[in-house]
Amino acid sequence: MFANIIRSTVSRNGLKTIISNQQTAKFSIKTCLNKERMVMYEPLPPLRNNQKLMDYIKEAQYTKLDKNGLKRKLIDPKNKERLRSDDIVTVVYKNQKPVTGMIIAIKKSGLASTILLRNKITGLGVEMHIPIFHPNILRVDIVRRPINYRPRARHYYIRNSRLDVNEIDGKK
C-alpha cells in the first residue's frame, strides 16, 4: 500500500499528507494507523480545450455581451477605426433615448471598459461614464472625428476652459 510513497508530513491540525508519484491524499493519523485503504481516483481530463479557466470565462462573457464583436473592435488598439479621445459619439440604448457627447477618456479594462462622455446641456457641463459592454447598449456610433487629435489620451484639462465642448446634438 505504501510502496510508492516519496514522503509524508504531519501538519499542525493532525492531518497527514502523503505524496506519491502523481497524487496527493490527506487523511487523519487514525486512518493511517487502521491501515484502511484510501480510494484514489484518476485525474479528470482537462476541460475547455486546455484553455485557462479565467480566459475561458472571459471569452464566454465576451460572446454573451458582444455577439458580433463590434464593441471589442471599438477599443482594440490595433484597429484604426477605434474610439479615441476627442471623438463625438452617440450611444444607442435598448430602452432609453440615445446619448451624444465627446469622449474625454477611455478606460480599457476588459469587460469593465468604460468611456467618459462630456456634453453641455443648457450651458451646464455634464459627464457620463458609460460601460461599453453593458447589455442595454445596442451600439456606439461615431458621429464625428477631429481632423487633428489633441495630445494626451485623457482630456480632463478641457473642463471649464476655452477648449470645453459646446452643446452637441446627434446630427452629423
Side-chain angles (χ1 to χ4, degrees):
M1 178 174 140
F2 298 108
N4 52 355
I5 294 175
I6 296 172
R7 68 184 154 115
S8 64
T9 59
V10 177
S11 62
R12 291 183 194 163
N13 57 5
L15 293 178
K16 190 168 187 175
T17 304
I18 296 181
I19 301 171
S20 62
N21 292 345
Q22 296 177 346
Q23 302 163 340
T24 304
K26 286 190 176 184
F27 54 95
S28 65
I29 294 178
K30 287 182 182 179
T31 311
C32 190
L33 294 176
N34 293 340
K35 297 193 179 184
E36 292 178 15
R37 186 154 258 224
M38 287 188 58
V39 179
M40 301 287 271
Y41 297 101
E42 291 181 25
L44 293 172
L47 300 175
R48 305 171 303 275
N49 298 328
N50 292 329
Q51 191 178 13
K52 293 181 182 176
L53 178 64
M54 290 310 295
D55 293 339
Y56 177 77
I57 291 172
K58 191 184 295 183
E59 195 62 36
Q61 290 291 326
Y62 275 132
T63 55
K64 180 181 176 184
L65 297 173
D66 185 23
K67 291 180 177 64
N68 48 13
L70 292 176
K71 293 178 183 178
R72 267 191 272 184
K73 288 179 185 174
L74 287 175
I75 59 170
D76 185 18
K78 296 174 188 170
N79 184 10
K80 291 183 180 179
E81 299 297 317
R82 69 184 182 274
L83 292 178
R84 292 181 62 182
S85 296
D86 257 3
D87 289 344
I88 296 175
V89 297
T90 299
V91 180
V92 180
Y93 289 92
K94 281 182 184 175
N95 51 5
Q96 71 184 56
K97 288 183 3 182
V99 175
T100 303
M102 185 175 90
I103 297 177
I104 290 182
I106 301 172
K107 181 181 136 193
K108 299 176 187 174
S109 56
L111 289 165
S113 297
T114 60
I115 55 176
L116 179 61
L117 293 184
R118 183 169 175 88
N119 196 352
K120 279 205 175 174
I121 300 174
T122 63
L124 184 67
V126 177
E127 293 182 356
M128 297 156 277
H129 284 280
I130 298 176
I132 294 174
F133 292 102
H134 195 279
N136 286 341
I137 293 178
L138 292 176
R139 65 183 185 275
V140 179
D141 298 329
I142 299 173
V143 176
R144 189 171 62 225
R145 292 183 182 272
I147 297 168
N148 295 323
Y149 283 98
R150 291 188 181 125
R152 298 185 191 85
R154 299 179 181 188
H155 300 305
Y156 299 125
Y157 59 89
I158 70 165
R159 294 174 178 154
N160 301 325
S161 70
R162 65 179 179 82
L163 301 171
D164 204 356
V165 296
N166 294 325
E167 288 194 32
I168 300 171
D169 56 348
K171 301 171 186 169
K172 288 187 177 183

